[in-house]
Amino acid sequence: MEVRIKRADFLAELMPMQGIVERRTTIPVLSHILLQANSDRLQLASTDLDVSLTSWCEAEVKGEGGIAVQARKFLEIIRSLVGDEVQLVLEDERRLSIVAGKSRFKINGLAPEDFPTLPTVGEEEKVELPFTKLKKMIGKIIFAVSTEESRFQLNGALFKLKDGAVEIVATDGHRLALVENEIEGSRDNDGVLVPRKALQELQRFEDEGNITFCRGEHHLSFSLGKRELTCRMLEGTFPDYERVIAKDNDKRARFVRKELAEAIHRVSLLTGDRARAIKLRMSPNQLVVSAANPDLGEAVEELSSEYEGDEFHVGMNPDYLGHFLSALDTEKVELELKDENTQCIGHPVEGQDRRYLCVIMPMRI
Amino acid sequence: MASIRKLPEELIGKIAAGEVVERPASVVKELLENALDAGAREIEIELVAGGAERIRIRDDGSGMSAGDAALVFDRHATSKISNFEDLLEVETLGFRGEALSSIGAVAHVEIQTSDDAGAGVVVRAAGGLVEPPEPRPRSRGTTVEVASLFFNVPARRKFLKTAPAELRRVVEVVQGYALARPDVRFSLRSERGTVLDALPAGNGLDGLKRRVAQLFGEELAAHLAEVDRSPRPGTSIWGFVGDPTTTRGRRYFVFVNRRLLRDRAMMSSFYRAVRETWHGSEFPALFLFLDLPAAEVDVNVHPQKAEVRFREPRVSSDLFLAIRRGLEISLGEVDAPLTAAADLAGAPLSWQGEGGRTKASLSGSVSAETGDGNLAAELHEEALPFSSSRLAEISYTPPQRTPVPLSGRSGAVRSLRVLGQYKGTVILLEGSDGLYLIDQHVAHERILYERFRADLDHDVPESQRLLEPVLLEISAAEALRLAEMAADLEGSGFEVTSMSGGTVALAAVPAALRPSQAEKLLLELAHGGGDGGGETGHLRERLLDALAASLACRAAVKMHEPLSADQMEAMVAELFASDQPYACPHGRPIVLKMTDRDLESRFGQR
């Protein structure tokens, strides 16, 4: 293998690889990136066996071949080099020389055969949608994806195609976020579970174009420009989420989103591991947010609201509310409530999405 | 309907015998108690067919006069008490005067006894019929032979197990008394030969330890920690408790005034102490003696005297504290595991401190982003051979600090000087008797646990409702257990409702627990796991323990977190002032100690 590439192009494709590579892995090859030169391309691949990313950049290829190199060091080297061009030459099977300007590195690597074979994803189902739209939707629900490994079916979000629309839902058992938007040319399906890591990596991408989503038997792929992200589908049954979205919450209160978010943030400064709830006391046109912590003290803040109903209060985890409020992009937010034991349903007022809501279960304090 | 009749004397005897004599082991028990009450120094037991055919017990105690011997088979004939007041201050093992008459009612019994060398008598009884005493010379002491047990109660006889099984029960009984009296020689023979022969081992803790070694082997004796506590004048709690390697075989022996008991209240003090110390469901060996004035304890609660009542309500918490202290010792004084010397030889020493190290980098260009701290790798870099000149750069010298006097709950003041921190993980301390290593995460966890646990006693724990109730499939019996616990569960943040069959719905969980932790805890409670008895008595405490442990684990300082010398000192001081400085709420050890002797021997000085 002998190639000459533009350093900036190469770096742009190299950086997203970093997110895929496992930080603390017991399988050494998974901390490596696979480089392969053929015809006029240098192809890159990285994987943690669940999520994989492939990409390529244009290159002047004088000799084909490949090697797997240690991802972190390789990126550091390429980033620290000067000059517009980098030359990569395979010295022998396990040794790559990197030359740029007056710098010369020879780094050890692994044979390409040692790198895992990446899955090829069938095209049983194929949908195209604008990437910026998808990215925004992911940002609106990803906070609700569970991080608890024991409930693996909640470690991802549900992607569900409806006639002419896509719906993405995430929940961790305490709260649930759902966003739905129109897309062209989709048909109904029963939904697939996309792992959290894949969602996170998608969020890092920048692109104005369309992303193509394909569903195979066990894997999913997202293709965007040169990059293709593939991941294993999560198995398991996702909760019947429509059922937990209460329809009879009769108390509706509207707030200026920024005011509410800031008040909650300030009051939550006095919450901690042991006393994490804040109390929301609703009364006509007013909300009192408060927190009391035996270690730290108390905090209270009043703010105005559009609310006409009876006075009552409810306890809630301020992070859950906070995550939702910062994912929102509207000026106002509405909370639908009923009593201290019933879920709170938040949604934007005059939002862009066809449907966006977040269900938050209360806490007893 | 049959008219009411007065029962014949023989039948009354058989009924009473049923309460006392159940199997050969209970005969052996009664006779051993008599022998010990008579001041025997040597007791020989012989069994045939596990005791069903013949039991012979010979002692060198005070024996009986011919006149007393004539009365032994009368019911409630005893020399040990004479009026009701005596009953309140029983100091002997037997006292009801039931034993020999009961045994005499259901077996052939022959007693040879002599209170003085030479002048002895023999009395016999069979099926409740007593023959008049005959003179027979014998040295001082008593021999009781019980043959054909239950010969006249076929129903009972049928319930006897095989000879080996009955023998095993007798061995258990003999072990109990042999532990109670290490100063007395006990031997037990069956038709197959000697089963057990324990020579007099002396008194006190040393005697007991030797006796344990005689009965259960040196291996077990080597894994015991002392329990020694006198909460009040006249009351002492002493003995041994094992470390976590001794959990096999249910070797729990509890004695009150040298009487072996299976008292549930006392056992639950033990279970609780173990749970608090290492949170396991397995229990170590226990040889525990509670000695207290006879007037403070009521042993006349149970015909087999297996349960007692205490007049002093603090006894159970005294026991708890004494056992827990023993468990602490069993965990805390563990020597540091010895790793191969080669592992240590090449390891670089590094100070994580103010003056710190400068980082050299291979290529000359120093990367600003040194990443998320793979300390091992960094340390390795520093140990590269060409870096010898850099020794001068490592100019950090630890400031001289005065030792902090630390007093644990045991009251012992120790002087420990903080030496530094190893890999941001372990605090090193110099003590007068060795090097102490403290796991900072676990130590902090222990400190926080105690703080949180104390708060939970008066706070109501927060509860998080679940989006969708989690359904748990359990048995109907388990569901009932949970229903019984409903109030305590709710008080700690759970909301559990029973559905049809064995299904329960979990609608809210304590906010301090992750969902999976909450489910696991609930299932454990439903199974009645955790302690042998499965009693629900300490349920609320257990729930709160679990919450505090979970909170503490999350809030504690993690590994690879550099601490300043002041922080380390504060943490160590607080740790040793805590209730349990030697094990974390999950039971992991906090402190390892390498004694001076360990170090010397490893450097080949001894």
Side-chain angles (χ1 to χ4, degrees):
Chain A
M1 157 174 156
E2 189 180 341
V3 293
R4 195 175 271 281
I5 37 173
K6 292 241 170 3
R7 197 171 69 94
D9 292 357
F10 189 39
L11 209 50
E13 296 310 314
L14 209 48
M15 303 263 262
M17 295 284 153
Q18 200 62 4
I20 306 291
V21 169
E22 281 236 34
R23 210 152 279 179
R24 285 189 189 84
T25 180
T26 44
I27 308 171
V29 74
L30 296 187
S31 61
H32 287 60
I33 298 178
L34 180 67
L35 303 174
Q36 270 179 315
N38 44 42
S39 58
D40 55 352
R41 289 176 178 188
L42 180 64
Q43 291 184 310
L44 298 87
S46 65
T47 180
D48 70 355
L49 297 181
D50 284 329
V51 179
S52 313
L53 180 64
T54 58
S55 185
W56 55 271
C57 50
E58 277 166 27
E60 192 183 309
V61 178
K62 288 186 186 154
E64 299 195 338
I67 186 170
V69 290
Q70 214 274 320
R72 197 167 128 191
K73 270 292 166 238
F74 188 69
L75 176 65
E76 279 174 21
I77 292 168
I78 302 297
R79 191 156 44 191
S80 71
L81 292 173
V82 286
D84 294 341
E85 276 197 342
V86 180
Q87 192 185 8
L88 303 175
V89 181
L90 203 59
E91 293 276 305
D92 60 53
E93 209 188 21
R94 305 248 167 117
R95 214 165 154 84
L96 182 72
S97 94
I98 308 167
V99 182
K102 290 176 181 172
S103 314
R104 270 188 296 278
F105 286 83
K106 283 178 184 171
I107 61 169
N108 299 330
L110 298 170
E113 301 83 62
D114 293 339
F115 201 80
T117 314
L118 302 185
T120 43
V121 180
E123 296 191 359
E124 276 90 339
E125 205 174 275
K126 190 171 173 180
V127 179
E128 245 180 63
L129 65 166
F131 177 65
T132 43
K133 196 172 201 173
L134 178 71
K135 189 172 160 175
K136 272 190 191 159
M137 288 174 80
I138 293 174
K140 283 177 178 169
I141 55 92
I142 194 164
F143 59 84
V145 176
S146 173
T147 49
E148 205 188 359
E149 306 230 319
S150 63
R151 309 182 72 190
F152 53 87
Q153 76 274 26
L154 302 184
N155 292 163
L158 182 78
F159 265 57
K160 196 170 151 87
L161 298 178
K162 295 176 158 187
D163 193 15
V166 62
E167 182 181 69
I168 311 178
V169 193
T171 178
D172 63 3
H174 294 170
R175 54 188 164 158
L176 176 144
L178 178 153
V179 61
E180 184 185 314
N181 271 310
E182 294 87 4
I183 51 165
E184 283 165 25
S186 84
R187 281 165 305 153
D188 282 12
N189 76 359
D190 48 357
V192 288
L193 292 174
V194 184
R196 189 181 58 248
K197 186 165 176 178
L199 299 172
Q200 284 168 338
E201 295 309 320
L202 283 174
Q203 271 194 305
R204 291 178 203 234
F205 294 168
E206 300 285 345
D207 202 297
E208 298 299 318
N210 274 358
I211 188 163
T212 310
F213 164 72
C214 289
R215 174 184 179 173
E217 199 182 342
H218 298 293
H219 291 85
L220 306 170
S221 82
F222 297 87
S223 311
L224 181 67
K226 296 171 176 174
R227 294 175 197 154
E228 184 184 13
L229 183 88
T230 53
C231 63
R232 206 195 291 268
M233 256 185 261
L234 291 179
E235 309 278 335
T237 340
F238 200 76
D240 181 1
Y241 53 92
E242 286 295 350
R243 219 180 49 193
V244 304
I245 303 171
K247 305 284 184 284
D248 58 346
N249 281 6
D250 50 359
K251 299 190 168 69
R252 286 159 193 266
R254 287 191 175 194
F255 304 91
V256 175
R257 180 183 65 92
K258 194 161 169 268
E259 280 176 19
L260 181 62
E262 287 174 358
I264 285 170
H265 170 69
R266 275 189 292 271
V267 169
S268 74
L269 293 175
L270 284 198
T271 60
D273 249 351
R274 296 176 42 227
R276 65 188 74 190
I278 53 165
K279 194 190 244 183
L280 304 177
R281 179 173 287 284
M282 316 282 277
S283 52
N285 298 322
Q286 196 194 42
L287 169 71
V288 180
V289 187
S290 64
N293 186 322
D295 287 342
L296 296 168
E298 294 166 11
V300 183
E301 182 157 342
E302 291 158 24
L303 67 158
S304 60
S305 69
E306 296 169 35
Y307 176 64
E308 303 297 331
D310 299 336
E311 188 173 322
F312 79 106
H313 67 88
V314 61
M316 220 172 280
N317 184 324
D319 294 345
Y320 296 173
L321 254 181
H323 292 156
F324 168 60
L325 292 174
S326 41
L328 273 179
D329 47 13
T330 57
E331 194 211 334
K332 285 190 175 180
V333 58
E334 182 172 88
L335 301 183
E336 291 176 19
L337 296 141
K338 189 175 174 197
D339 56 43
E340 62 177 69
N341 287 320
T342 312
Q343 58 264 62
C344 160
I345 304 175
H347 52 77
V349 176
E350 292 163 13
Q352 302 282 307
D353 303 301
R354 178 150 121 180
R355 190 178 180 210
Y356 178 39
L357 60 88
C358 179
V359 182
I360 300 172
M361 295 307 289
M363 288 176 84
R364 189 191 68 194
I365 40 176
Chain B
M1 190 196 279
S3 56
I4 293 178
R5 277 166 309 190
K6 197 168 182 327
L7 293 175
E9 200 55 35
E10 190 205 326
L11 188 54
I12 295 176
K14 279 192 198 174
I15 292 171
E19 282 179 30
V20 178
V21 184
E22 210 181 346
R23 51 180 8 110
S26 38
V27 172
V28 171
K29 173 182 177 340
E30 296 296 335
L31 298 178
L32 278 178
E33 289 190 349
N34 285 344
L36 290 169
D37 284 345
R41 312 293 309 162
E42 216 177 299
I43 302 175
E44 285 174 34
I45 307 148
E46 277 178 57
L47 300 182
V48 176
E53 282 309 312
R54 197 169 71 235
I55 301 167
R56 198 209 330 241
I57 298 193
R58 220 177 67 168
D59 70 55
D60 60 352
S62 58
M64 283 177 282
S65 68
D68 286 351
L71 292 172
V72 291
F73 291 113
D74 286 1
R75 208 135 66 85
H76 302 301
T78 181
S79 60
K80 294 166 188 174
I81 58 173
S82 57
N83 56 36
F84 184 70
E85 279 66 43
D86 287 354
L87 191 55
L88 301 180
E89 299 202 357
V90 180
E91 290 187 354
T92 49
L93 294 168
F95 59 84
R96 293 167 174 250
E98 286 176 326
L100 284 170
S101 78
S102 298
I103 299 166
V106 294
H108 296 280
V109 182
E110 183 189 279
I111 302 175
Q112 291 175 53
T113 184
S114 166
D115 56 354
D116 261 315
V121 287
V122 56
V123 280
R124 295 190 186 86
L129 301 173
V130 185
E131 294 173 23
E134 289 166 26
R136 184 186 291 176
R138 187 203 187 279
S139 58
R140 186 174 174 272
T142 305
T143 304
V144 181
E145 191 171 313
V146 178
S148 312
L149 185 62
F150 299 132
F151 75 95
N152 56 350
V153 196
R156 266 279 151 100
R157 199 169 170 85
K158 254 197 280 181
F159 275 100
L160 292 183
K161 302 247 179 337
T162 59
E166 293 296 342
L167 176 63
R168 186 174 54 77
R169 286 169 193 250
V170 172
V171 171
E172 283 167 9
V173 167
V174 176
Q175 279 174 345
Y177 287 95
L179 288 167
R181 295 295 301 274
D183 55 325
V184 174
R185 176 178 182 171
F186 287 83
S187 67
L188 171 62
R189 279 201 302 272
S190 75
E191 61 270 45
R192 297 246 180 107
T194 302
V195 179
L196 169 165
D197 189 3
L199 295 171
N203 276 313
L205 283 164
D206 291 343
L208 177 61
K209 195 167 204 167
R210 276 193 289 275
R211 182 51 54 93
V212 170
Q214 288 169 346
L215 297 174
F216 301 103
E218 298 286 348
E219 170 74 20
L220 175 64
H223 286 272
L224 297 179
E226 273 180 29
V227 174
D228 199 357
R229 186 183 172 91
S230 302
R232 276 173 300 283
T235 301
S236 68
I237 300 166
W238 60 281
F240 294 98
V241 62
D243 67 19
T245 65
T246 64
T247 52
R248 261 181 326 98
R250 299 180 66 88
R251 294 171 293 207
Y252 326 133
F253 295 86
V254 178
F255 303 84
V256 175
N257 289 343
R258 303 283 173 138
R259 183 192 300 281
L260 179 66
L261 298 171
R262 283 265 168 253
D263 185 65
R264 251 189 276 157
M266 295 178 73
M267 288 310 281
S268 84
S269 295
F270 169 55
Y271 295 142
R272 206 176 121 217
V274 175
R275 269 199 314 261
E276 252 200 29
T277 316
W278 67 62
H279 276 244
S281 52
E282 295 195 310
F283 300 92
L286 177 72
F287 305 98
L288 191 75
F289 288 78
L290 170 62
D291 293 340
L292 73 179
E296 299 239 309
V297 55
D298 182 359
V299 288
N300 193 24
V301 182
H302 191 277
Q304 291 173 0
K305 303 168 199 133
E307 285 179 25
V308 288
R309 275 191 206 128
F310 299 108
R311 290 191 174 69
E312 171 57 67
R314 280 175 295 176
V315 167
S316 69
S317 82
D318 293 337
L319 284 168
F320 166 72
L321 292 172
I323 297 170
R324 195 175 64 173
R325 178 79 198 120
L327 291 166
E328 286 164 14
I329 295 170
S330 82
L331 293 173
E333 302 291 302
V334 194
D335 292 337
L338 302 179
T339 44
D343 292 348
L344 291 172
L349 291 172
S350 150
W351 275 97
Q352 285 265 319
E354 295 89 324
R357 329 156 257 153
T358 44
K359 265 185 92 74
S361 151
L362 275 177
S363 57
S365 78
V366 179
S367 157
E369 191 223 20
T370 44
D372 45 29
N374 184 342
L375 261 168
E378 285 176 28
L379 285 170
H380 191 69
E381 267 175 28
E382 288 199 348
L384 290 174
F386 58 76
S387 67
S388 64
S389 63
R390 285 176 50 227
L391 274 178
E393 285 176 47
I394 308 172
S395 59
Y396 178 74
T397 40
Q400 280 303 309
R401 288 182 171 270
T402 41
V404 219
L406 301 166
S407 78
R409 204 194 36 227
S410 60
V413 176
R414 47 191 110 205
S415 264
L416 297 175
R417 192 166 65 93
V418 172
L419 297 175
Q421 193 187 22
Y422 175 71
K423 293 193 177 178
T425 297
V426 176
I427 300 171
L428 304 179
L429 298 169
E430 177 188 84
S432 56
D433 52 346
L435 174 68
Y436 290 76
L437 300 100
I438 293 183
D439 182 325
Q440 67 186 40
H441 169 69
V442 192
H444 198 208
E445 197 178 340
R446 179 81 229 174
I447 294 167
L448 294 174
Y449 169 76
E450 291 195 6
R451 222 185 278 161
F452 295 166
R453 182 64 187 80
D455 290 339
L456 282 174
D457 273 334
H458 42 81
D459 289 356
V460 178
E462 290 180 334
S463 170
Q464 168 72 56
R465 291 191 75 80
L466 301 178
L467 208 56
E468 241 195 341
V470 175
L471 299 183
L472 302 172
E473 301 281 339
I474 55 180
S475 76
E478 288 167 341
L480 284 173
R481 277 184 77 85
L482 288 183
E484 251 176 75
M485 304 173 186
D488 281 326
L489 287 170
E490 206 184 312
S492 48
F494 281 101
E495 191 181 312
V496 184
T497 34
S498 291
M499 318 270 284
S500 61
T503 307
V504 292
L506 184 56
V509 296
L513 300 180
R514 280 183 280 117
S516 61
Q517 282 178 320
E519 271 173 52
K520 199 175 146 227
L521 179 61
L522 197 70
L523 286 176
E524 244 173 57
L525 292 171
H527 295 323
D531 51 87
E535 18 72 81
T536 55
H538 301 291
L539 177 75
R540 194 178 146 72
E541 276 94 83
R542 283 187 62 187
L543 282 165
L544 298 182
D545 286 353
L547 299 189
S550 162
L551 286 170
C553 185
R554 252 184 279 173
V557 170
K558 299 289 180 289
M559 283 163 61
H560 305 303
E561 201 167 315
L563 299 173
S564 73
D566 291 323
Q567 283 174 315
M568 287 188 270
E569 263 175 22
M571 190 188 288
V572 172
E574 201 174 348
L575 174 69
F576 280 95
S578 78
D579 238 18
Q580 218 302 14
Y582 295 110
C584 87
H586 304 296
R588 280 191 288 153
I590 298 173
V591 184
L592 295 180
K593 184 173 139 191
M594 285 185 92
T595 60
D596 292 347
R597 190 185 292 257
D598 289 336
L599 291 170
E600 281 161 10
S601 74
R602 299 195 62 210
F603 285 122
Q605 291 171 7
R606 234 179 237 188

